[in-house]
Amino acid sequence: MSVSEQLKILCVKLGISVSELGRISGKSPQAFSQKMKRESFTVDELKQIAEAAGCRYEGAFITPSGEKVTY
């Protein structure tokens, strides 16, 4: 699943539009929409979006031994 798809699902669960998510995270709706089309969010941006939406973002790799590598 792409990041844009995850963000759309987040908006549905929060009951807000994608444009509103962009606004609360400090971007114009147009800039946010362009980032979604390009799939060009950084981990830091995703954390900022999550914080603005009252959520937590967790990005991690899990090694074969079960060890979690987070950013």
Side-chain angles (χ1 to χ4, degrees), residues 3-4 9 17-18 25 27 34 39 42 45 54 60 65 67:
V3 171
S4 292
I9 292 169
S17 67
V18 172
S25 64
K27 302 236 183 275
Q34 286 301 311
E39 292 284 331
T42 65
E45 287 173 321
S65 66
E67 210 174 342

PDB file of all heavy atoms in Angstrom, residues 3-4 9 17-18 25 27 34 39 42 45 54 60 65 67:
ATOM      1  N   VAL A   3       2.002   5.280   0.459  1.00  0.00           N
ATOM      2  CA  VAL A   3       1.844   6.275   1.524  1.00  0.00           C
ATOM      3  C   VAL A   3       0.591   7.100   1.272  1.00  0.00           C
ATOM      4  O   VAL A   3      -0.176   7.383   2.196  1.00  0.00           O
ATOM      5  CB  VAL A   3       3.096   7.181   1.626  1.00  0.00           C
ATOM      6  CG1 VAL A   3       2.849   8.341   2.563  1.00  0.00           C
ATOM      7  CG2 VAL A   3       4.290   6.371   2.086  1.00  0.00           C
ATOM      8  N   SER A   4       0.344   7.469   0.027  1.00  0.00           N
ATOM      9  CA  SER A   4      -0.845   8.258  -0.296  1.00  0.00           C
ATOM     10  C   SER A   4      -2.125   7.504   0.065  1.00  0.00           C
ATOM     11  O   SER A   4      -3.069   8.095   0.587  1.00  0.00           O
ATOM     12  CB  SER A   4      -0.859   8.624  -1.779  1.00  0.00           C
ATOM     13  OG  SER A   4       0.179   9.523  -2.060  1.00  0.00           O
ATOM     14  N   ILE A   9      -6.722   6.776   3.868  1.00  0.00           N
ATOM     15  CA  ILE A   9      -7.409   5.970   4.875  1.00  0.00           C
ATOM     16  C   ILE A   9      -7.406   6.685   6.224  1.00  0.00           C
ATOM     17  O   ILE A   9      -8.412   6.705   6.938  1.00  0.00           O
ATOM     18  CB  ILE A   9      -6.780   4.564   4.978  1.00  0.00           C
ATOM     19  CG1 ILE A   9      -7.066   3.778   3.694  1.00  0.00           C
ATOM     20  CG2 ILE A   9      -7.283   3.818   6.213  1.00  0.00           C
ATOM     21  CD1 ILE A   9      -6.288   2.491   3.560  1.00  0.00           C
ATOM     22  N   SER A  17     -10.873  15.796   5.380  1.00  0.00           N
ATOM     23  CA  SER A  17     -10.477  15.681   3.976  1.00  0.00           C
ATOM     24  C   SER A  17      -8.948  15.673   3.872  1.00  0.00           C
ATOM     25  O   SER A  17      -8.242  16.063   4.809  1.00  0.00           O
ATOM     26  CB  SER A  17     -11.034  16.850   3.167  1.00  0.00           C
ATOM     27  OG  SER A  17     -10.409  18.057   3.567  1.00  0.00           O
ATOM     28  N   VAL A  18      -8.465  15.246   2.728  1.00  0.00           N
ATOM     29  CA  VAL A  18      -7.030  15.269   2.470  1.00  0.00           C
ATOM     30  C   VAL A  18      -6.524  16.712   2.508  1.00  0.00           C
ATOM     31  O   VAL A  18      -5.447  16.993   3.031  1.00  0.00           O
ATOM     32  CB  VAL A  18      -6.698  14.584   1.121  1.00  0.00           C
ATOM     33  CG1 VAL A  18      -5.247  14.780   0.745  1.00  0.00           C
ATOM     34  CG2 VAL A  18      -7.044  13.105   1.177  1.00  0.00           C
ATOM     35  N   SER A  25      -1.179  20.121   8.776  1.00  0.00           N
ATOM     36  CA  SER A  25       0.233  19.750   8.831  1.00  0.00           C
ATOM     37  C   SER A  25       1.138  20.860   8.298  1.00  0.00           C
ATOM     38  O   SER A  25       2.345  20.671   8.187  1.00  0.00           O
ATOM     39  CB  SER A  25       0.485  18.446   8.084  1.00  0.00           C
ATOM     40  OG  SER A  25       0.219  18.575   6.715  1.00  0.00           O
ATOM     41  N   LYS A  27       0.931  22.616   5.276  1.00  0.00           N
ATOM     42  CA  LYS A  27       1.121  22.734   3.829  1.00  0.00           C
ATOM     43  C   LYS A  27      -0.160  23.257   3.200  1.00  0.00           C
ATOM     44  O   LYS A  27      -1.241  23.053   3.710  1.00  0.00           O
ATOM     45  CB  LYS A  27       1.443  21.370   3.219  1.00  0.00           C
ATOM     46  CG  LYS A  27       2.664  20.698   3.796  1.00  0.00           C
ATOM     47  CD  LYS A  27       3.629  20.383   2.699  1.00  0.00           C
ATOM     48  CE  LYS A  27       4.843  19.656   3.197  1.00  0.00           C
ATOM     49  NZ  LYS A  27       5.874  20.496   3.687  1.00  0.00           N
ATOM     50  N   GLN A  34       0.216  17.620  -4.412  1.00  0.00           N
ATOM     51  CA  GLN A  34       1.355  17.317  -5.288  1.00  0.00           C
ATOM     52  C   GLN A  34       2.291  16.296  -4.648  1.00  0.00           C
ATOM     53  O   GLN A  34       2.782  15.387  -5.322  1.00  0.00           O
ATOM     54  CB  GLN A  34       2.123  18.595  -5.640  1.00  0.00           C
ATOM     55  CG  GLN A  34       1.413  19.484  -6.629  1.00  0.00           C
ATOM     56  CD  GLN A  34       1.152  18.771  -7.945  1.00  0.00           C
ATOM     57  OE1 GLN A  34       2.041  18.152  -8.525  1.00  0.00           O
ATOM     58  NE2 GLN A  34      -0.085  18.846  -8.414  1.00  0.00           N
ATOM     59  N   GLU A  39       4.323  10.860  -4.336  1.00  0.00           N
ATOM     60  CA  GLU A  39       4.754   9.931  -3.280  1.00  0.00           C
ATOM     61  C   GLU A  39       6.106  10.372  -2.728  1.00  0.00           C
ATOM     62  O   GLU A  39       7.031   9.570  -2.592  1.00  0.00           O
ATOM     63  CB  GLU A  39       4.853   8.498  -3.817  1.00  0.00           C
ATOM     64  CG  GLU A  39       3.532   7.873  -4.171  1.00  0.00           C
ATOM     65  CD  GLU A  39       2.722   7.432  -2.972  1.00  0.00           C
ATOM     66  OE1 GLU A  39       3.309   7.085  -1.926  1.00  0.00           O
ATOM     67  OE2 GLU A  39       1.491   7.453  -3.066  1.00  0.00           O
ATOM     68  N   THR A  42       8.932  12.495   3.209  1.00  0.00           N
ATOM     69  CA  THR A  42      10.054  11.955   3.987  1.00  0.00           C
ATOM     70  C   THR A  42       9.506  11.390   5.294  1.00  0.00           C
ATOM     71  O   THR A  42       8.360  11.666   5.681  1.00  0.00           O
ATOM     72  CB  THR A  42      11.079  13.056   4.313  1.00  0.00           C
ATOM     73  OG1 THR A  42      10.456  14.020   5.178  1.00  0.00           O
ATOM     74  CG2 THR A  42      11.606  13.731   3.057  1.00  0.00           C
ATOM     75  N   GLU A  45       8.518  14.213   7.522  1.00  0.00           N
ATOM     76  CA  GLU A  45       7.233  14.803   7.144  1.00  0.00           C
ATOM     77  C   GLU A  45       6.069  13.939   7.614  1.00  0.00           C
ATOM     78  O   GLU A  45       5.054  14.461   8.088  1.00  0.00           O
ATOM     79  CB  GLU A  45       7.150  15.004   5.633  1.00  0.00           C
ATOM     80  CG  GLU A  45       8.010  16.142   5.129  1.00  0.00           C
ATOM     81  CD  GLU A  45       8.046  16.227   3.618  1.00  0.00           C
ATOM     82  OE1 GLU A  45       8.087  15.174   2.938  1.00  0.00           O
ATOM     83  OE2 GLU A  45       8.037  17.359   3.117  1.00  0.00           O
ATOM     84  N   GLY A  54      -2.774  14.338  15.550  1.00  0.00           N
ATOM     85  CA  GLY A  54      -2.997  13.709  16.852  1.00  0.00           C
ATOM     86  C   GLY A  54      -2.730  12.223  16.852  1.00  0.00           C
ATOM     87  O   GLY A  54      -3.273  11.477  17.655  1.00  0.00           O
ATOM     88  N   ALA A  60       9.517   1.293  10.662  1.00  0.00           N
ATOM     89  CA  ALA A  60      10.549   0.417  11.203  1.00  0.00           C
ATOM     90  C   ALA A  60      10.842  -0.738  10.250  1.00  0.00           C
ATOM     91  O   ALA A  60       9.999  -1.124   9.451  1.00  0.00           O
ATOM     92  CB  ALA A  60      10.114  -0.146  12.550  1.00  0.00           C
ATOM     93  N   SER A  65      15.742 -11.768  13.037  1.00  0.00           N
ATOM     94  CA  SER A  65      15.788 -12.193  14.444  1.00  0.00           C
ATOM     95  C   SER A  65      14.718 -11.502  15.287  1.00  0.00           C
ATOM     96  O   SER A  65      14.603 -11.748  16.482  1.00  0.00           O
ATOM     97  CB  SER A  65      17.169 -11.913  15.038  1.00  0.00           C
ATOM     98  OG  SER A  65      17.393 -10.505  15.094  1.00  0.00           O
ATOM     99  N   GLU A  67      14.478  -8.138  15.700  1.00  0.00           N
ATOM    100  CA  GLU A  67      14.946  -6.850  16.193  1.00  0.00           C
ATOM    101  C   GLU A  67      14.318  -5.729  15.366  1.00  0.00           C
ATOM    102  O   GLU A  67      14.218  -5.802  14.142  1.00  0.00           O
ATOM    103  CB  GLU A  67      16.469  -6.779  16.047  1.00  0.00           C
ATOM    104  CG  GLU A  67      17.163  -5.947  17.055  1.00  0.00           C
ATOM    105  CD  GLU A  67      18.682  -6.064  16.894  1.00  0.00           C
ATOM    106  OE1 GLU A  67      19.175  -7.012  16.262  1.00  0.00           O
ATOM    107  OE2 GLU A  67      19.347  -5.168  17.408  1.00  0.00           O
TER     108      GLU A  67
END
